[in-house]
Amino acid sequence: KDLDAVIVSTMYQLEKRPITGNTYEKGPNDKTYEFYMDYRWNARTDVPIDDVEEHVSLFRNTIEACKEANVKHIVVVETPNTMNVQEYAKVLDEVGVPFTYIHPNCAPGSGIETFKDFTFEKGIQGDLEIESFTLADNYLSADGYKSGGWMENLIAEREVTGNVDTVIYREDVAALAVQALISLDWSKRRCLEVSSMGSLEKPKFGDGQRMFSNRPPRSDKDWCINSDVLAQKLAIIEE
């Protein structure tokens, strides 16, 4: 209740754990799934990643719950190892809540990684390239269109970067999901294809930085350090 927008993923790592006492358990030994978006080190995987039916069912329940709660926009992050992505696209079409679908376009042999010494003060680390595919307002009623068809077209056009050394950081994907809610039109349905062009260059002298200054950038102006870079890239999408 009382949520305007949510961020979800296609597939979660699911670990069955005891329910916290005096919450919603029905008995002393009741258990439920703990959700981990993408991957959590040292956690069990109690639902196999190839159990597509279970993962899609969970996704559908989540999206339908959002609609029941009058959520205005959903950001969906396609997590690694997601199978049968067309099924998730079909759910989004059938339920009908406007969405932004983020697909990290990782190189073969590479992928999404954690920035090992990430801190809030360091902020966004990668120079992300963002391509947007915005669906027409009436695409669902187009002649011959089938639910989830936009994903099939997208896969056919998708190009994977050939730089196997290039990775996308989890923290940067998380920042993009939040910035998309800040910068983009919630009434639209779109897909963001995201790849990395390497590390984000530090501002040079004359770009608002003191010469020879070792002071960290001020963190009271932006919700995330370097988020203005993402905001500028997304502003182009809205033009």
Side-chain angles (χ1 to χ4, degrees):
K1 293 182 179 181
D2 301 323
L3 293 176
D4 292 323
V6 298
I7 299 172
V8 302
S9 70
T10 48
M11 195 185 76
Y12 299 90
Q13 182 181 7
L14 300 172
E15 182 181 26
K16 187 162 285 189
R17 299 177 63 86
I19 297 175
T20 303
N22 299 318
T23 55
Y24 58 90
E25 78 280 10
K26 296 181 179 179
N29 298 317
D30 285 351
K31 294 184 178 181
T32 189
Y33 285 122
E34 191 80 16
F35 288 57
Y36 305 118
M37 186 180 288
D38 185 14
Y39 174 78
R40 181 178 185 270
W41 181 80
N42 206 30
R44 297 188 311 274
T45 301
D46 291 330
V47 175
I49 61 174
D50 59 356
D51 190 345
V52 176
E53 183 177 353
E54 180 70 16
H55 287 290
V56 172
S57 175
L58 179 61
F59 182 77
R60 178 178 290 276
N61 290 343
T62 303
I63 303 303
E64 288 179 347
C66 289
K67 184 173 184 179
E68 288 293 322
N70 295 317
V71 168
K72 298 179 179 65
H73 197 83
I74 301 173
V75 174
V76 180
V77 179
E78 183 183 310
T79 47
N81 301 316
T82 298
M83 300 179 180
N84 291 23
V85 290
Q86 294 92 333
E87 293 298 315
Y88 298 90
K90 184 177 180 180
V91 170
L92 290 170
D93 277 355
E94 292 176 349
V95 177
V97 180
F99 61 85
T100 296
Y101 188 98
I102 297 177
H103 171 250
N105 200 8
C106 300
S110 185
I112 297 180
E113 295 185 1
T114 298
F115 191 75
K116 294 181 180 179
D117 58 347
F118 175 82
T119 62
F120 176 79
E121 286 76 14
K122 291 183 178 179
I124 296 166
Q125 294 296 306
D127 187 6
L128 299 182
E129 182 177 17
I130 305 170
E131 293 184 72
S132 176
F133 302 86
T134 302
L135 299 170
D137 292 339
N138 60 344
Y139 78 99
L140 290 171
S141 59
D143 291 341
Y145 182 81
K146 296 181 180 180
S147 293
W150 60 269
M151 179 62 78
E152 295 179 9
N153 296 334
L154 192 62
I155 291 174
E157 298 176 1
R158 189 171 281 168
E159 292 183 2
V160 179
T161 176
N163 185 357
V164 297
D165 295 324
T166 300
V167 301
I168 301 175
Y169 294 119
R170 287 182 173 88
E171 295 81 4
D172 292 350
V173 174
L176 176 60
V178 174
Q179 191 63 49
L181 288 175
I182 297 172
S183 299
L184 300 180
D185 184 348
W186 286 14
S187 68
K188 301 293 184 180
R189 293 167 171 83
R190 67 178 67 81
C191 178
L192 301 182
E193 291 281 297
V194 183
S195 56
S196 175
M197 297 186 290
S199 299
L200 189 66
E201 291 186 7
K202 294 182 179 180
K204 299 178 181 179
F205 177 61
D207 294 339
Q209 296 290 316
R210 286 188 176 185
M211 191 173 186
F212 308 122
S213 174
N214 292 320
R215 295 180 182 179
R218 291 182 58 178
S219 59
D220 58 346
K221 292 185 177 181
D222 300 307
W223 73 269
C224 177
I225 301 300
N226 297 330
S227 61
D228 59 313
V229 176
L230 292 181
Q232 292 170 12
K233 292 176 183 286
L234 293 177
I236 297 175
I237 293 173
E238 292 291 73
E239 292 180 351

